Amino acid sequence: MRDTRESRLLLVLLIAIAFALITVDIRGGQDSPVEGARQAAATVFGPIENGVSSAVDPVGNAVAAVRDSGRRHDRIAQLERTNAALKAKLGSDDRNRSRLKQLDNMIRVAGEGQYGIKGAEVIAIGAAQGFSWTVTIDVGAKDGIKRDMTVLNGDGLVGRITTVGPDTSTVLLANDPDFTVGTRMEGSDELGFAAGQGDRPLRVQLLNGKAAVKKGDRLVTFGSQADKPFVPGVPVGVVSRVDPSGGGLTRTVYVKPFVSFSSLDIVGVVVQAPKKDPRDTVLPQKPQPTPTPTVTVTVTPSAFADNQASEEDLASEDDE
């Protein structure tokens, strides 16, 4: 298209419409007027994302790369294929071991919190339906997933379900600027609200402006009414910085999340809330402090006797 005055005006108009839609969507929250369009997009693009995820599987690509490369230099090609196959197998085994560990950790968290979960895989980062910190997972309405369900993994709180398609769902991550969750401090039970800040620590406003809090304190989810969107007791993170108390009604602390949002793979959607608040039982055990080594000085009898003899000789010389 030629760069004409009409084309430039059209481009400006399209950009203005896009920003208007973004603003309306963010301000609308759960009642956003574009929710229907988002649902339709999830229905259309979800199966495509799922299929693309399978197509670009690294193990599958590695196996495809081992195909016969022709008759020339057969011996070298055979060795290269063997080497590539071994590397592919090793890579697959490493990935499987990593995913098995993630699954084991998630099952442990679910067991300790008594959460009924539906396991899922992250198949896309950043949704086509919006402009937020999101991931797409490979379970949807057909699997019993509904909007405003808690999502966790073996480390703690991942986010909440925002959009559900037939086969996939969109998860708003806990580090998104529009994400807010009620929190409770381990031990002291101080309540607050954590908000995402992208790639920076979560910002938590404690309701008690004089709350005694220090670096290293840990937080869990407080839980929502009817357990939606958040069930109680899910680990959130560790306090990394505390703002000085200014005598206000609230106090601000910054929390490093337990979850690494840039390396999500296996997650679980909480489809059944616990009958009883697990409180702090889901938090991982704190590392034991390293004991300070004790220095012991041992004096042998022979050395003590020699020292005594030397002192007596010096004394006799002085007398002379």
Side-chain angles (χ1 to χ4, degrees):
M1 184 173 64
R2 290 184 299 175
D3 184 14
T4 63
R5 185 170 181 270
E6 290 79 6
S7 63
R8 288 195 297 270
L9 288 174
L10 178 60
L11 178 60
V12 171
L13 179 62
L14 290 174
I15 293 174
I17 293 173
F19 277 103
L21 287 174
I22 295 171
T23 303
V24 170
D25 185 27
I26 291 174
R27 291 181 178 178
Q30 295 185 2
D31 300 322
S32 170
V34 300
E35 177 62 22
R38 185 184 290 111
Q39 291 277 2
T43 302
V44 174
F45 293 109
I48 298 174
E49 289 175 331
N50 207 340
V52 170
S53 173
S54 300
V56 300
D57 183 82
V59 178
N61 288 342
V63 172
V66 185
R67 293 176 181 172
D68 190 4
S69 58
R71 298 180 180 178
R72 297 179 58 187
H73 310 294
D74 289 341
R75 178 57 180 166
I76 296 176
Q78 182 181 357
L79 292 174
E80 289 177 345
R81 289 196 300 271
T82 302
N83 189 34
L86 290 173
K87 287 183 177 180
K89 184 176 184 302
L90 179 62
S92 176
D93 290 346
D94 288 344
R95 184 167 186 259
N96 287 338
R97 281 193 290 269
S98 172
R99 304 183 90 198
L100 181 60
K101 183 178 180 181
Q102 292 179 53
L103 185 60
D104 286 343
N105 290 338
M106 187 173 70
I107 292 174
R108 174 190 58 78
V109 167
E112 292 176 351
Q114 294 298 297
Y115 307 123
I117 63 171
K118 177 71 177 180
E121 294 181 44
V122 174
I123 58 174
I125 299 175
Q129 304 97 310
F131 303 88
S132 306
W133 292 74
T134 61
V135 295
T136 303
I137 57 177
D138 64 348
V139 292
K142 294 180 180 178
D143 305 287
I145 306 303
K146 299 178 182 179
R147 183 171 176 169
D148 285 336
M149 284 183 167
T150 306
V151 182
L152 51 76
N153 68 2
D155 297 318
L157 180 67
V158 172
R160 63 179 175 87
I161 299 291
T162 56
T163 306
V164 182
D167 303 293
T168 62
S169 302
T170 301
V171 180
L172 183 69
L173 300 180
N175 65 334
D176 185 272
D178 289 333
F179 188 97
T180 303
V181 58
T183 61
R184 183 176 56 78
M185 195 77 66
E186 177 188 16
S188 67
D189 290 340
E190 294 287 355
L191 302 181
F193 290 94
Q197 294 196 116
D199 55 2
R200 294 180 293 165
L202 305 177
R203 187 174 186 267
V204 180
Q205 290 289 123
L206 297 177
L207 301 183
N208 181 5
K210 298 180 180 179
V213 58
K214 64 184 183 302
K215 183 177 179 181
D217 286 346
R218 304 185 296 179
L219 296 87
V220 298
T221 56
F222 179 65
S224 307
Q225 184 175 6
D227 298 311
K228 291 195 176 212
F230 302 110
V231 294
V234 181
V236 175
V238 181
V239 174
S240 58
R241 181 164 66 91
V242 181
D243 276 358
S245 178
L249 297 177
T250 63
R251 190 170 190 185
T252 303
V253 300
Y254 297 89
V255 173
K256 179 182 179 182
F258 286 119
V259 171
S260 174
F261 299 107
S262 61
S263 58
L264 293 171
D265 187 7
I266 304 297
V267 299
V269 182
V270 180
V271 294
Q272 184 177 1
K275 295 180 180 180
K276 183 179 179 182
D277 187 344
R279 309 293 291 181
D280 302 332
T281 59
V282 186
L283 284 166
Q285 290 186 352
K286 288 186 176 180
Q288 296 296 325
T290 304
T292 305
T294 303
V295 178
T296 304
V297 178
T298 303
V299 179
T300 60
S302 60
F304 180 75
D306 292 342
N307 188 40
Q308 283 281 86
S310 299
E311 290 179 356
E312 291 175 358
D313 292 341
L314 290 172
S316 60
E317 289 178 1
D318 291 339
D319 293 339
E320 293 176 356

